[in-house]
Amino acid sequence: MAERRRMSYSVHREVLDEEAMDEMGQKSVSKTSLREKVKKSVRCSGHQMKSCLLGTVPILSWLPRYPIRENALGDLISGISVGIMQLPQGMAYALLASVPPVFGLYSSFYPVLIYFIFGTSKHISVGTYAVMSVMIGGVTERLAPDSKFMTWDNVTNTSIIDTVARDDERVRVAAAVTFVSGLFQILLGLVQFGFVVTYLSEPLVRGYTTGAAIHVIVSQLKYTFGVNPVRHNGPLSLIYTVLEICYLLPQSNIGTLVTSVITILGLIAAKELNAFLGKKIPVPIPVELIAIVIATVISWQFYLQQEYGVDVVGVIPSGLQPPVFPDTSVFGQVIGDGFALSVVGYGIAISLGRIFALKYGYKVDSNQELVALGLSNSIGGIFQCFTVSCSMSRTMVQESAGGKTQVAGALSAVVILFITLWIGSLFEDLPKAVLAAIIHVNLHSMMKQFLDIPALWKTNRVDMLVWVATFILTLLLNPDIGLAASIGFSLLTVIFRTQLPKYSILGQVPETDIYKPLDEYHQVRQVPGILIFRSSATLYFANAEMYQETLNSKSGFDITKLLSAKKKLEAKKQRHEKKEAKRVKKELKKNGVDVNRELNMEEQNHVSVIEVDAERDPSLPRAIVLDLGPVNFLDTVGVKTLRSIRRDYGEIGVEVFLAGCQSGVVDNLQTAGFFNDKVTKSCLFTTVHDAVLYCQSAIAQSQSMEYKETAATHF
């Protein structure tokens, strides 16, 4: 890049304080009332109604203008590819949710069609997702544990689990929590609460998904080894589960373990081959579909369930389930889980949606995405689906296969519908260990997120701390409570950073109007007689006390001692004057003068006084300028702090001025009663340089007057 040519400029203007700036810029004082804002928001014209309709149902705006020639082929290939992926993933993630595999297919059909109508992202693949599924599984197994469905078998004289009743109850619980999470998303979208995702920073989301992936892996170990550990709930349940699985390892089913190992190795090899051929073939090889087809055929031909005790998927009913409104009696027990699911699902979807929107140059409406996901989940709950979000792996396939619009998602739903209606029953002999292996291999990419730790260590250690803390909290407290704790920890880091900002004394860059910290620049010089102080954060109750203490310490003198010494001197003066007054009255009384009358001027001259501040301490600055440029708001404590600083330093003869105040800060000062007859906006300056020039002028005038007084005294 060519070296930038240095340019100079010269500006000639008067020094501007806030009063002069308001007058020159003709600041508007009229504010829109709440009533007018509400009236404007509910006003509806034909154009506004059309915009509202198209914004609420986006398909009406883009589908009529769908370019068939340009997009149809890519969307068709992409939709078929994603639909093929949805089959094994939907069945596998249903195991995570602790519901029969066919409900994973339902969750890959109904919500996808709803999002096709209401969604604004053209590229994300909505459907089952591992993190959401394991959170659903935690809820279903908590409210419908195996112990609740134990029955006595008179034939074997042992307790057995009524799996039919258990699965029916878990489906009802999953549908209820899905419906509740959808309602939360719809409500948040209607109140324009899409900005809630800003509290889910990227390190938090990646640390959380990595921790949740560990939960997913551990939850599938029972299918990998063919053991039946007791379900643990609550904090530290992951550790208890791992310990119990380790204890049960000698009881592993050899047939299940061999099936798992062969499937995992085969999938890893096939995915590596896919990566190698990625640029040579237009569509990735559907290795997961091939794996479940081969595994189903082998299980059917070699009787893996009967001969080797390998657990299989079981009955997969053909057709779709009729709509059933979720069990409202469960709502009260799943409100917290529903909110956590709504926030996590939305956070993952909007993050991925924004990545592709930025890449392809279109806009994703965050509030409409909330509504779209909410409708997908709430309507899906009525059709006994479990909570959905978007999957990174399917989204990458959808984009790489040529998908350009939401039509690709709709076509993938058609593929799932075809499978559900006609060929789903063919996978009844599919070993669950194969589905668990698919989950393990698919989570390989999430394990790569551990590489974030060294990268964040080099770039931002606070973000690294958020990542690690989120990961640990998610592991120990489970995904639901772990999410709330992680958000709280992330917000605490922000509070601590504002509570412990960097405070600086500024100096002037020679022959410029630029002011920089003295400890960072060697050529910066402090302006004689003026102390310029700046904080890197806003001023509010959490750091107000530290702001004042740091100013006192960096000013180079102890204002507390100076104020104390002045008060002592004033008290001494008053005591001395009272003593002298008594002495004069006593002398007058001896001379027969009426002491009740006021002393006249001649008599007052006999009362000696002590001069306070007869000579000003030359080490003190003449003025202090507080640079409030970084401050974006002031609360009542912050205003009181500024008022206290002006009062304290004013008592020792140091004027305090404010500079660089934003309009909101000026409004905060005015609302809190900072200004009065003595303190006006003339103590606020538009820039630090304006304040410095004013102070220099005032100091020069003061020194001139002091010189004249000194000269007159000597004369």
Side-chain angles (χ1 to χ4, degrees):
M1 182 181 292
E3 185 178 353
R4 182 181 298 175
R5 185 168 61 89
R6 292 183 179 272
M7 301 177 65
S8 61
Y9 70 94
S10 176
V11 177
H12 180 74
R13 63 172 176 82
E14 296 180 354
V15 174
L16 295 176
D17 56 30
E18 283 295 326
E19 285 184 344
M21 189 66 211
D22 291 349
E23 183 178 353
M24 177 181 293
Q26 297 181 359
K27 183 178 179 181
S28 174
V29 294
S30 61
K31 292 185 178 180
T32 306
S33 65
L34 179 61
R35 180 180 178 182
E36 292 175 348
K37 290 180 181 178
V38 173
K39 185 178 179 180
K40 183 178 180 180
S41 64
V42 299
R43 186 182 301 153
C44 185
S45 63
H47 177 71
Q48 288 176 322
M49 182 177 293
K50 180 181 178 181
S51 299
C52 181
L53 179 62
L54 295 179
T56 306
V57 190
I59 191 174
L60 298 177
S61 63
W62 64 264
L63 189 59
R65 297 182 283 108
Y66 180 76
I68 297 177
R69 290 185 178 181
E70 291 82 358
N71 295 347
L73 181 61
D75 284 340
L76 177 62
I77 297 174
S78 175
I80 295 174
S81 303
V82 173
I84 291 172
M85 285 188 69
Q86 289 270 31
L87 170 62
Q89 289 191 4
M91 298 174 70
Y93 294 157
L95 295 182
L96 292 177
S98 299
V99 296
V102 69
F103 290 93
L105 300 182
Y106 300 154
S107 301
S108 302
F109 173 66
Y110 291 108
V112 176
L113 286 181
I114 301 300
Y115 185 84
F116 165 69
I117 298 171
F118 296 98
T120 60
S121 176
K122 299 178 182 180
H123 292 87
I124 66 172
S125 174
V126 172
T128 56
Y129 183 58
V131 174
M132 311 295 293
S133 299
V134 78
M135 293 176 70
I136 289 285
V139 180
T140 55
E141 294 193 11
R142 186 182 77 236
L143 299 182
D146 290 340
S147 59
K148 188 177 178 180
F149 301 94
M150 300 296 291
T151 59
W152 184 260
D153 188 356
N154 293 323
V155 177
T156 60
N157 289 327
T158 57
S159 296
I160 60 173
I161 300 173
D162 186 353
T163 55
V164 175
R166 181 200 64 185
D167 290 345
D168 288 344
E169 180 63 21
R170 287 181 175 178
V171 168
R172 283 193 290 271
V173 172
V177 71
T178 298
F179 184 80
V180 170
S181 68
L183 288 183
F184 273 122
Q185 288 173 329
I186 293 172
L187 291 174
L188 292 175
L190 292 177
V191 298
Q192 307 292 297
F193 211 64
F195 69 88
V196 70
V197 74
T198 58
Y199 295 107
L200 302 177
S201 64
E202 184 180 356
L204 187 147
V205 171
R206 293 177 70 86
Y208 177 79
T209 52
T210 307
I214 301 297
H215 278 276
V216 172
I217 292 172
V218 171
S219 70
Q220 294 305 290
L221 291 179
K222 62 181 180 180
Y223 299 113
T224 302
F225 292 100
V227 295
N228 294 303
V230 177
R231 173 72 182 185
H232 297 280
N233 294 309
L236 304 181
S237 61
L238 181 76
I239 297 175
Y240 296 141
T241 302
V242 171
L243 293 176
E244 185 166 1
I245 289 175
C246 292
Y247 176 75
L248 294 174
L249 282 181
Q251 304 176 23
S252 299
N253 184 292
I254 300 301
T256 301
L257 184 58
V258 171
T259 302
S260 300
V261 172
I262 293 174
T263 306
I264 290 174
L265 293 177
L267 286 173
I268 292 175
K271 284 185 177 289
E272 290 298 325
L273 179 62
N274 251 343
F276 177 74
L277 299 175
K279 296 181 179 180
K280 300 179 181 179
I281 55 178
V283 179
I285 300 173
V287 293
E288 295 165 343
L289 178 63
I290 295 172
I292 66 171
V293 170
I294 294 174
T296 302
V297 172
I298 293 175
S299 175
W300 170 54
Q301 286 292 322
F302 292 93
Y303 304 101
L304 294 185
Q305 183 183 23
Q306 295 83 355
E307 297 292 335
Y308 302 99
V310 176
D311 196 11
V312 297
V313 168
V315 178
I316 298 179
S318 299
L320 300 174
Q321 293 287 326
V324 177
F325 195 81
D327 186 1
T328 56
S329 63
V330 184
F331 286 0
Q333 304 175 61
V334 298
I335 287 180
D337 303 288
F339 184 77
L341 284 164
S342 66
V343 173
V344 174
Y346 170 67
I348 294 169
I350 194 64
S351 300
L352 201 56
R354 284 177 174 172
I355 291 173
F356 286 97
L358 184 63
K359 181 177 180 180
Y360 289 97
Y362 63 92
K363 182 181 179 182
V364 172
D365 187 338
S366 59
N367 293 306
Q368 180 60 27
E369 285 296 292
L370 264 175
V371 174
L373 287 172
L375 289 172
S376 299
N377 285 319
S378 57
I379 296 176
I382 295 175
F383 286 94
Q384 290 140 57
C385 304
F386 53 85
T387 312
V388 298
S389 183
C390 75
S391 165
M392 170 66 83
S393 59
R394 291 197 308 271
T395 300
M396 295 301 295
V397 169
Q398 180 170 318
E399 185 230 2
S400 62
K404 294 181 174 64
T405 66
Q406 295 94 316
V407 172
L411 292 174
S412 72
V414 173
V415 173
I416 293 297
L417 177 63
F418 175 79
I419 294 171
T420 305
L421 292 179
W422 289 289
I423 66 174
S425 58
L426 298 178
F427 297 102
E428 292 180 352
D429 290 316
L430 173 64
K432 291 183 178 179
V434 174
L435 297 178
I438 291 173
I439 293 173
H440 290 317
V441 175
N442 281 341
L443 293 176
H444 173 67
S445 60
M446 285 194 182
M447 295 300 102
K448 291 181 180 179
Q449 293 181 159
F450 280 109
L451 298 176
D452 292 349
I453 297 177
L456 290 174
W457 175 264
K458 296 177 181 178
T459 57
N460 192 315
R461 295 185 181 180
V462 175
D463 283 346
M464 187 213 69
L465 184 63
V466 171
W467 196 105
V468 173
T470 301
F471 174 74
I472 294 174
L473 290 171
T474 305
L475 283 186
L476 299 181
L477 303 179
N478 292 345
D480 48 0
I481 303 176
L483 175 65
S486 301
I487 293 175
F489 180 83
S490 180
L491 293 178
L492 280 177
T493 61
V494 177
I495 294 173
F496 286 146
R497 278 188 277 187
T498 59
Q499 192 175 2
L500 301 171
K502 182 177 181 180
Y503 297 102
S504 305
I505 299 296
L506 304 185
Q508 186 178 19
V509 179
E511 299 182 2
T512 70
D513 59 351
I514 299 173
Y515 295 82
K516 293 292 183 179
L518 291 170
D519 56 354
E520 296 180 9
Y521 294 85
H522 297 297
Q523 295 300 320
V524 170
R525 297 291 180 264
Q526 185 169 355
V527 181
I530 303 173
L531 182 73
I532 308 171
F533 180 75
R534 183 177 68 189
S535 167
S536 62
T538 195
L539 179 60
Y540 69 118
F541 69 92
N543 61 12
E545 184 178 356
M546 183 171 293
Y547 183 93
Q548 189 167 2
E549 291 177 353
T550 308
L551 173 61
N552 294 342
S553 63
K554 285 185 173 290
S555 61
F557 55 89
D558 192 338
I559 188 173
T560 305
K561 289 184 178 179
L562 292 175
L563 290 174
S564 177
K566 183 178 179 181
K567 289 179 180 179
K568 288 180 180 179
L569 189 60
E570 289 179 346
K572 182 178 180 181
K573 172 188 173 183
Q574 291 177 358
R575 290 195 303 269
H576 183 77
E577 289 178 350
K578 288 181 180 179
K579 183 177 179 181
E580 289 296 312
K582 288 181 180 179
R583 182 183 61 79
V584 171
K585 286 184 179 181
K586 189 175 181 181
E587 292 179 355
L588 293 175
K589 189 175 182 181
K590 287 182 178 180
N591 298 329
V593 180
D594 185 7
V595 296
N596 292 323
R597 64 176 176 82
E598 293 185 2
L599 301 178
N600 56 35
M601 292 297 298
E602 183 179 351
E603 293 163 344
Q604 285 182 7
N605 291 333
H606 294 281
V607 180
S608 61
V609 296
I610 298 177
E611 293 292 335
V612 180
D613 290 343
E615 291 186 4
R616 192 178 184 283
D617 188 347
S619 64
L620 296 179
R622 295 277 184 163
I624 293 178
V625 176
L626 302 180
D627 181 7
L628 300 185
V631 178
N632 54 12
F633 75 92
L634 286 172
D635 61 1
T636 54
V637 178
V639 175
K640 288 180 179 178
T641 300
L642 294 178
R643 187 184 293 122
S644 174
I645 290 172
R646 277 188 55 84
R647 182 190 64 245
D648 291 346
Y649 283 93
E651 289 183 2
I652 61 172
V654 179
E655 286 288 331
V656 177
F657 300 95
L658 313 182
C661 297
Q662 302 178 31
S663 58
V665 173
V666 178
D667 293 339
N668 293 150
L669 290 170
Q670 194 158 4
T671 305
F674 181 81
F675 302 113
N676 51 43
D677 295 337
K678 296 182 178 179
V679 181
T680 64
K681 285 188 178 181
S682 60
C683 68
L684 275 64
F685 289 88
T686 55
T687 66
V688 173
H689 193 57
D690 285 299
V692 169
L693 293 177
Y694 175 83
C695 293
Q696 287 178 328
S697 175
I699 291 172
Q701 291 180 5
S702 176
Q703 290 176 340
S704 176
M705 292 179 62
E706 290 175 0
Y707 175 78
K708 290 179 180 179
E709 291 177 357
T710 304
T713 303
H714 286 296
F715 180 76

